[in-house]
Amino acid sequence: MSSTVTPGKSRPGTQTPSADPSGQPPVFGVRNLWKVFGPKAERIPADPETAGLTQSELRTRTGCTAAVRDVSFDVRKGEVFVVMGLSGSGKSTLVRCLTRLIEPTSGSLEIDGEDVLAMDRNRLRELRRHRAAMVFQHFGLLPHRSVLDNIAYGLEIQGMSKAERRARAEEMVHKVGLDGLELRRPGQLSGGQQQRVGLARALASDPEVLLFDEPFSALDPLIRRDMQEEVIRLHHEEGRTMVFITHDLSEALRVGDRIALMRDGEIVQLGTPEQIVGSPADDYVRDFVRDVPREQVMTVRTAMRPGGCGGSEHPGSLTPDTIVVEAVETVARSGRAACVVQDGACLGQVDQVDLLRVVAGLDREEAAA
């Protein structure tokens, strides 16, 4: 079940993030995290009166801005965790707090159980170089260096030998689809190719987690889609943990395993794409997802009802994660209900009424009427 919060009533810091079903400890564990900009910022989280003010009230009374407000969540190993929101929601500040590129004002922050806020300069440097690599919107490539040398740059800083870093860079060139472009300079590449260089550079150090800060927002739509596909492919192939920041809902739904939707520094809802679209926490989230084609996000897990066929045969069988738009085709082709099957067992069934109900956001009786 998703964690939700209504702004101004209860904050996400008052809730316990949902446990990882695998039982593994989180990669990042964030509790009651604040980032306040302004005079005497450290006083704001500790004072219940000022901590409960709206953004405008806080600025008027204290001159401070709470970019991140009492945020709590876990990033599970191997997932793509998306933080999304409009400009000014606090999402980019939040992701920079994870590696202390921006210093949090208060709260707790751990990576693999280690206290990030207690790390000294050397430990922080190791965190940023080896454990959590960032991919930014602006590529930051060195214009006078080739693709290979740009990819190998971080390894050079780490002191890796020339032969080793060149071999690693060549491996990354192949991984991100830049074969044949190794000796080109950044100015000779398209925007999408430059972003692939940035991604390869981040991957070269083999980090435990990749942090993406709106990496594709400056790209043309078709190139952007290609890069989203690249992230999805890399995730499926490697199972690498990713934290992905975006203001684009379609991008969040496309790449994310779970989504934290932010507003005014707070998380207003945290859940899977299906939970965000199917059960909006409040009117703000409802407006956000209003134009999302539900049939492309909702699955038959939500649509199915108990019952189904007996025996070992399952006509028109579907997996629980089949999206509704694909299930519609199966049911329409057979003209009958389809079994929802997992590990050889029938969990339930769906028919046209079940699927219509989910698409329209109705209960079964309304859909059948």
Side-chain angles (χ1 to χ4, degrees):
M1 182 172 293
S2 62
S3 301
T4 62
V5 57
T6 303
K9 293 187 179 179
S10 64
R11 291 186 296 274
T14 65
Q15 304 172 31
T16 301
S18 56
D20 185 345
S22 71
Q24 292 183 309
V27 175
F28 279 113
V30 179
R31 297 293 181 272
N32 308 106
L33 196 72
W34 284 79
K35 178 56 189 178
V36 182
F37 295 97
K40 300 178 180 178
E42 68 283 353
R43 296 186 179 183
I44 303 301
D47 182 354
E49 182 179 353
T50 55
L53 296 175
T54 66
Q55 291 284 40
S56 59
E57 290 170 340
L58 185 65
R59 282 192 295 269
T60 299
R61 289 182 54 177
T62 69
C64 291
T65 298
V68 176
R69 281 177 168 259
D70 203 10
V71 165
S72 297
F73 61 89
D74 287 335
V75 177
R76 300 168 183 168
K77 185 175 179 61
E79 78 171 331
V80 180
F81 185 89
V82 174
V83 182
M84 71 157 298
L86 300 178
S87 178
S89 63
K91 57 188 185 301
S92 290
T93 301
L94 175 59
V95 76
R96 283 167 168 76
C97 285
L98 296 181
T99 56
R100 286 175 57 192
L101 291 174
I102 292 178
E103 288 286 350
T105 303
S106 70
S108 67
L109 170 61
E110 295 181 347
I111 181 168
D112 296 325
E114 182 180 357
D115 187 349
V116 176
L117 302 183
M119 290 181 176
D120 61 20
R121 184 176 300 179
N122 291 334
R123 195 67 178 148
L124 268 180
R125 186 180 299 115
E126 192 271 341
L127 168 66
R128 295 166 185 165
R129 286 183 177 178
H130 300 285
R131 301 171 70 182
M134 289 204 69
V135 181
F136 296 97
Q137 173 184 344
H138 302 292
F139 320 121
L141 304 182
L142 301 172
H144 61 288
R145 290 196 172 209
S146 68
V147 166
L148 268 182
D149 287 340
N150 266 283
I151 294 172
Y153 181 68
L155 303 177
E156 180 181 346
I157 297 298
Q158 294 175 21
M160 183 180 289
S161 71
K162 185 174 182 179
E164 287 180 305
R165 65 178 184 258
R166 185 175 183 86
R168 180 66 176 166
E170 288 174 346
E171 180 185 344
M172 293 304 104
V173 162
H174 178 68
K175 186 178 289 289
V176 302
L178 288 172
D179 298 279
L181 303 178
E182 295 89 338
L183 300 181
R184 292 194 182 183
R185 303 283 177 86
Q188 299 173 298
L189 304 177
S190 68
Q193 289 167 339
Q194 290 181 40
Q195 190 57 285
R196 287 175 187 268
V197 177
L199 177 58
R201 183 175 56 192
L203 286 168
S205 61
D206 194 25
E208 179 182 358
V209 57
L210 283 171
L211 307 175
F212 293 88
D213 189 7
E214 300 206 61
F216 311 142
S217 59
L219 302 178
D220 293 336
L222 289 178
I223 299 176
R224 182 172 187 164
R225 186 175 180 85
D226 285 345
M227 290 304 301
Q228 291 167 1
E229 288 286 354
E230 190 69 16
V231 167
I232 294 169
R233 180 185 68 81
L234 287 170
H235 180 249
H236 285 167
E237 289 181 359
E238 300 186 350
R240 197 183 300 270
T241 307
M242 301 180 182
V243 178
F244 197 100
I245 309 300
T246 183
H247 66 271
D248 186 326
L249 178 61
S250 63
E251 184 168 73
L253 295 172
R254 184 173 177 78
V255 306
D257 294 315
R258 290 191 300 148
I259 300 169
L261 179 56
M262 293 190 72
R263 180 189 188 190
D264 292 337
E266 297 179 296
I267 294 178
V268 294
Q269 186 166 1
L270 194 161
T272 65
E274 188 169 13
Q275 289 168 338
I276 298 287
V277 172
S279 302
D282 58 18
D283 288 342
Y284 179 76
V285 182
R286 195 169 292 109
D287 285 343
F288 231 107
V289 303
R290 180 178 53 196
D291 297 325
V292 173
R294 291 169 61 89
E295 68 275 11
Q296 296 181 18
V297 178
M298 307 302 290
T299 68
V300 297
R301 189 188 304 276
T302 300
M304 70 180 183
R305 52 192 162 83
C309 61
S312 59
E313 294 187 3
H314 306 298
S317 62
L318 303 164
T319 67
D321 294 324
T322 303
I323 59 175
V324 166
V325 69
E326 295 174 358
V328 167
E329 182 180 348
T330 298
V331 172
R333 188 185 304 117
S334 67
R336 58 186 294 189
C339 283
V340 182
V341 179
Q342 187 172 42
D343 298 328
C346 186
L347 305 180
Q349 61 179 332
V350 290
D351 59 17
Q352 291 178 332
V353 173
D354 299 315
L355 299 172
L356 175 61
R357 171 180 59 82
V358 171
V359 171
L362 306 173
D363 61 32
R364 185 172 177 82
E365 289 71 24
E366 290 175 313

